[in-house]
Amino acid sequence: MLDQTTQMNLLYDFYGTLLTEKQRSLLELYYVEDWSLGEIAEHQGVSRQAVYEAIKRAQSTMLDLEESLGLVKSHLKRQQLIETIKSRLDQMPEAAKAIGPLIRELEKLD
Amino acid sequence: MLDQTTQMNLLYDFYGTLLTEKQRSLLELYYVEDWSLGEIAEHQGVSRQAVYEAIKRAQSTMLDLEESLGLVKSHLKRQQLIETIKSRLDQMPEAAKAIGPLIRELEKLD
């Protein structure tokens, strides 16, 4: 189970481009810059409640997108499989040489 | 370069869940069932031009989503890497045994 901040960060990595510019700046302040609701409210000249509701709406949009597309779920499964492949390759130097770089390319695509 | 029908089918596989129910049935008739614009128009009791425009709008929504998320692009790259890995594993029976099933699981996630 992921904690809520990790989950939101992952959702944001995958779906951030589908949010509005305004939603993106809000989530960046809250999750990346770690501002409090009160600090964001003061900075934007709106109420703390308005900030809270805007964050909830953005989160809900991302959760709906995940429900439809499941990108975070697939990403986590792929990551797990790639880790297992890499640890098996550690014990097979010849295969690691032939396949390791391709696995790393696969990993970078995520 | 993919032909337009293949490209639209891939876009539909990845983004179909984000279209409206109406857009989905339209694209299914057009791309999967291979109905003509005229046949769809007659079936829906609207003009051929209306069907044409609705299809264009759905296509444009999917192209915008691809521009933001790039899921088809990543899928095609991943598919290519997985094919290369599989053909290298064909020459390494021991590695194929240890890693092949994990590669096939990766493939299925796409």
Side-chain angles (χ1 to χ4, degrees), chain A residues 68-82:
Chain A
S68 299
L69 296 175
L71 299 184
V72 171
K73 195 175 160 198
S74 304
H75 161 76
L76 293 172
K77 273 197 204 161
R78 257 200 299 271
Q79 210 179 32
Q80 207 176 24
L81 284 166
I82 287 176

Side-chain angles (χ1 to χ4, degrees), chain B residues 69-90:
Chain B
L69 296 176
L71 299 184
V72 171
K73 197 175 159 197
S74 304
H75 161 76
L76 292 172
K77 274 196 202 160
R78 254 198 303 270
Q79 208 180 35
Q80 207 174 25
L81 284 165
I82 287 175
E83 281 313 310
T84 312
I85 291 169
K86 279 161 72 180
S87 75
R88 292 195 187 171
L89 284 179
D90 280 346

Side-chain angles (χ1 to χ4, degrees), chain B residues 30-71:
Chain B
Y30 192 61
Y31 285 115
V32 185
E33 307 293 331
D34 205 29
W35 287 26
S36 70
L37 294 178
E39 285 167 331
I40 300 173
E42 202 184 321
H43 177 72
Q44 297 190 336
V46 297
S47 71
R48 199 181 164 287
Q49 181 66 16
V51 174
Y52 175 79
E53 278 164 15
I55 288 174
K56 282 282 149 205
R57 267 195 306 279
Q59 287 176 343
S60 153
T61 300
M62 296 195 297
L63 287 166
D64 287 350
L65 285 164
E66 175 63 9
E67 184 74 25
S68 299
L69 296 176
L71 299 184

Side-chain angles (χ1 to χ4, degrees), chain A residues 76-105:
Chain A
L76 293 172
K77 273 197 204 161
R78 257 200 299 271
Q79 210 179 32
Q80 207 176 24
L81 284 166
I82 287 176
E83 281 314 310
T84 312
I85 292 170
K86 281 162 72 182
S87 75
R88 294 198 184 168
L89 283 179
D90 280 345
Q91 288 140 42
M92 297 182 284
E94 207 189 329
K97 209 171 149 190
I99 290 168
L102 299 166
I103 299 296
R104 282 191 294 280
E105 274 193 68

Side-chain angles (χ1 to χ4, degrees), chain A residues 1-107:
Chain A
M1 201 55 195
L2 299 171
D3 69 78
Q4 214 230 359
T5 304
T6 309
Q7 191 203 12
M8 284 302 151
N9 270 306
L10 268 174
L11 287 170
Y12 184 68
D13 283 347
F14 282 90
Y15 302 115
T17 54
L18 297 184
L19 298 176
T20 66
E21 185 55 44
K22 211 171 155 186
Q23 286 178 313
R24 276 202 297 274
S25 359
L26 184 61
L27 293 184
E28 297 250 335
L29 289 179
Y30 191 61
Y31 285 115
V32 186
E33 307 293 334
D34 204 28
W35 288 24
S36 70
L37 293 179
E39 286 167 331
I40 300 173
E42 202 184 322
H43 177 72
Q44 298 188 337
V46 296
S47 71
R48 197 181 165 289
Q49 181 66 16
V51 174
Y52 175 79
E53 278 165 13
I55 289 175
K56 281 283 150 204
R57 265 196 305 280
Q59 287 176 344
S60 151
T61 299
M62 295 195 299
L63 287 167
D64 287 349
L65 285 164
E66 174 65 8
E67 183 73 25
S68 299
L69 296 175
L71 299 184
V72 171
K73 195 175 160 198
S74 304
H75 161 76
L76 293 172
K77 273 197 204 161
R78 257 200 299 271
Q79 210 179 32
Q80 207 176 24
L81 284 166
I82 287 176
E83 281 314 310
T84 312
I85 292 170
K86 281 162 72 182
S87 75
R88 294 198 184 168
L89 283 179
D90 280 345
Q91 288 140 42
M92 297 182 284
E94 207 189 329
K97 209 171 149 190
I99 290 168
L102 299 166
I103 299 296
R104 282 191 294 280
E105 274 193 68
L106 269 182
E107 200 174 12

